[in-house]
Amino acid sequence: MKSLQNKNNKILYILSLIASLFILCSCEPNQEPKITLGDSFWYWEADANSTPGDAMKHFADFKKLEDKSTSNLLNVLGPGSRYVWVRAQFEIPEYYRNQPLGLVIPYLRFAGQVYCNGSFISQYGNFPPNEQSTLFKAHFFSFPLNVLKQEGQNTILIKIYAQGKSGISSHSFIQPARFAYPAFEVINFHHTKIYMPLTGSLLLTFILYMCFYLSARNFTEFKDFAFLNIFTAMFVLIFFATELPVYTGGTIPFLLFTKFTLCIPVYFMVYFATAFAVDFHHKSFSLPLRIFRISILTFQTLLTAGIPSYNGLIKIAPYMLALLFIQILTALIYIIKLFIKKERRAQTLYFVLAMIPFITASLIDVIARKSDESEVYPYYSIFGWSVTTIIFIIMLAIRFSRTYKRNQRLTNHLQEEVDSRTSELKTANARLNELNEQLEKDKKRLVADLEMASIVQKNFFSHPAQNLKNWDISTWYEPLSKVSGDFYDYFTYNNVLNGLSIFDVSGHGLSASLVTMLSKNIISGVFQKGFRNKVPASKILSEINTLIIKEKGDIQNYMTGLLCRFNEDRRGGFCRAELGNAGHPYPLKYSAENKEIYELKCNDGKDHYGAIGMSGIQVSFAQSNFTMKDGDILVLFTDGISEINNSKGEQYGTKDLMQIVRQNSNKTSAEILSIIKDHVKDFTKDSKIDDDITVIIAKRDSSFKAQQTESGELLEEL
């Protein structure tokens, strides 16, 4: 790439040199003697209505125009709009007498009317109200024989409308018309016509690279380069606008033309040039920086479009240039950062090398104008940019060609790749089908095992006993999946309820369900033994904890739970109860006597901490002592109901649970439980239940008498 780039650069430089030599050779110097006027210019500031007669009356008020620069009138008159008369006098040499003469003014801004010996000769540009500048065009005025004095002084008066960078060339001269006009054409060619072919090449480049971009949208640098060329073409228009009928005929007002050639296109040129500099490296500005850059461009465009006068454009020019510098600075910093990165350095170097013709030509522009401010030079930077554009055209073409060739290779080998990938996919698909079949078999076996585990677990738990003396009990048991980490148990003897329990194993699924079945037998055995020996419920829980830790081994699941034991009073009517709590949500008790419901918290005066099954951790389980009288209701539940959330993220808690029990205390346990179920399902109708739910309603009811268990029920329980 490097050798090819160097070769292309050499070719481009040679072509540029040949073109320059051709231009220089085509401009044969005029060797005929000239009557120079630069040292004979005098000026007098007047008003818009002044006439040549007024100028002659104020002959003595004219001042010598010592300034020889191209902006001499601006320098002596100051900024703003001015009317000024410039006077020059000459004598016709003997060898030029009796032949038409021509005046050549290489540079005259803004507009001017020329008089010779009081006779009107011609005019370039227009005065207000329809002001029109002569821009960069040279001026030629033909003096007929009848207005010239062959002997003595001839007086030239030029009425100039001075605005902006106004001035008159100190290199103005007079020759016979046959020599002056060709000299004028050469000067005018350098000042205006030389830019015309450049505009055509810029337009063609815009069309070409816009087509490239539309066919390959990932090449954003093509879009930037295309727009850079079209706006450069709009900018270059102003240099040869005086050769276009649409301008000289006054179709487009001067102010509007200036805004949309000399001003606004420059903003877009800099914007797309800086964007191109970054996109050329396949990078992009950050979003905040893009917004910032677009904001600058929008502000410049709207402000310039809204300025009502040419002088207004001149006043805002320094601020617009400062904003352009900011745009350039954003890209310059970006390119420097890329150059620092070793992997991007070569690409950045190519970009900088391509910019060398433009940078060199710009320096020549500055040096030439600073060395001789009286001369009007072509803008070498524009031609330097043309060379840079050609270099970028070649570089982008090479980039596009490489991408095209790479895509072509991919296309040529696409069928082979497709066949290879198809074969691999078929093999992989066959293997995948085998794995799917195996997974399906494993899934069916797992589902069957899980179903069996669910049946075993459900039948492992006690069913609500409706034939217990003095007790009306109902249970709501709803596992999250096939198997559950919740379990409960009833401890009875001869249809007398000695106790009940509810536990919640941490986690879900099979591991939790295995712990429930392991723990149930341990809990049942320890409770029966403790009940006979009148061991307090809290101590029974401690012994259960010790045995479960020993039996479950390395299984990490732990559990919380409640263990309640009942002692029927022999006098009847009530029973005493002890409730052991191992880190479980407090149960609720409704008192029929007080019509109140409350949480059963410990009343043994000890500190309580820990859960069941956590090895190496000290525990102290709570105990509550209370009585159950006729109509009293005991509600035991797991956190699957108290911590359930609705779609708003609100937790169910125990408030509604307590209210339902209080308001329906006269109903049976089954009726109360049905109301609770409906309320919970309505609460969670738009949300997903994510835990097992177990609720036990145990109501003390003396109307319940012990009955003989039927054989069918006994077999089902077994």
Side-chain angles (χ1 to χ4, degrees), residues 323-376:
L323 292 175
L324 290 178
F325 177 75
I326 292 173
Q327 291 274 36
I328 294 170
L329 193 61
T330 57
L332 188 61
I333 293 172
Y334 214 91
I335 291 173
I336 292 172
K337 288 181 178 179
L338 291 173
F339 184 78
I340 294 172
K341 297 178 181 178
K342 191 174 181 180
E343 65 275 10
R344 294 281 179 180
R345 191 166 298 167
Q347 199 170 29
T348 304
L349 190 59
Y350 293 148
F351 182 84
V352 174
L353 289 174
M355 293 295 294
I356 286 177
F358 172 68
I359 296 170
T360 304
S362 299
L363 291 174
I364 294 173
D365 262 343
V366 174
I367 294 169
R369 282 163 173 75
K370 288 295 181 183
S371 61
D372 185 2
E373 295 183 353
S374 67
E375 188 61 80
V376 179

Side-chain angles (χ1 to χ4, degrees), residues 471-474 497 499-502 562-566 575 577-579 586-592 597-600 624 626-629 631-637 657 661 669 672-673 676 695-700:
W471 288 99
D472 172 18
I473 299 176
S474 296
L497 181 64
L500 56 84
S501 65
I502 186 170
L562 299 172
L563 185 65
C564 191
R565 57 178 292 170
F566 301 106
C575 74
E578 289 178 4
L579 179 69
Y586 295 121
L588 306 176
K589 183 198 171 185
Y590 171 76
S591 172
I597 186 169
Y598 53 88
E599 292 179 333
L600 278 174
S624 299
F626 58 96
T627 59
M628 291 291 293
K629 298 180 180 179
D632 290 354
I633 302 172
L634 185 62
V635 183
L636 285 69
F637 53 89
L657 201 61
V661 173
S669 64
I672 296 172
L673 198 59
I676 292 173
V695 181
I696 299 174
I697 305 292
K699 182 175 183 180
R700 184 76 177 177

Side-chain angles (χ1 to χ4, degrees), residues 56-74:
M56 294 303 294
K57 289 178 184 178
H58 291 83
F59 199 87
D61 295 330
F62 277 77
K63 299 177 183 178
K64 181 72 173 178
L65 186 60
E66 302 287 354
D67 193 332
K68 307 299 181 184
S69 69
T70 56
S71 302
N72 46 19
L73 294 179
L74 171 65

Side-chain angles (χ1 to χ4, degrees), residues 651-665:
Q651 202 169 73
Y652 188 72
T654 59
K655 184 177 179 182
D656 290 343
L657 201 61
M658 296 169 74
Q659 185 175 357
I660 291 171
V661 173
R662 183 190 301 111
Q663 292 176 350
N664 299 278
S665 59

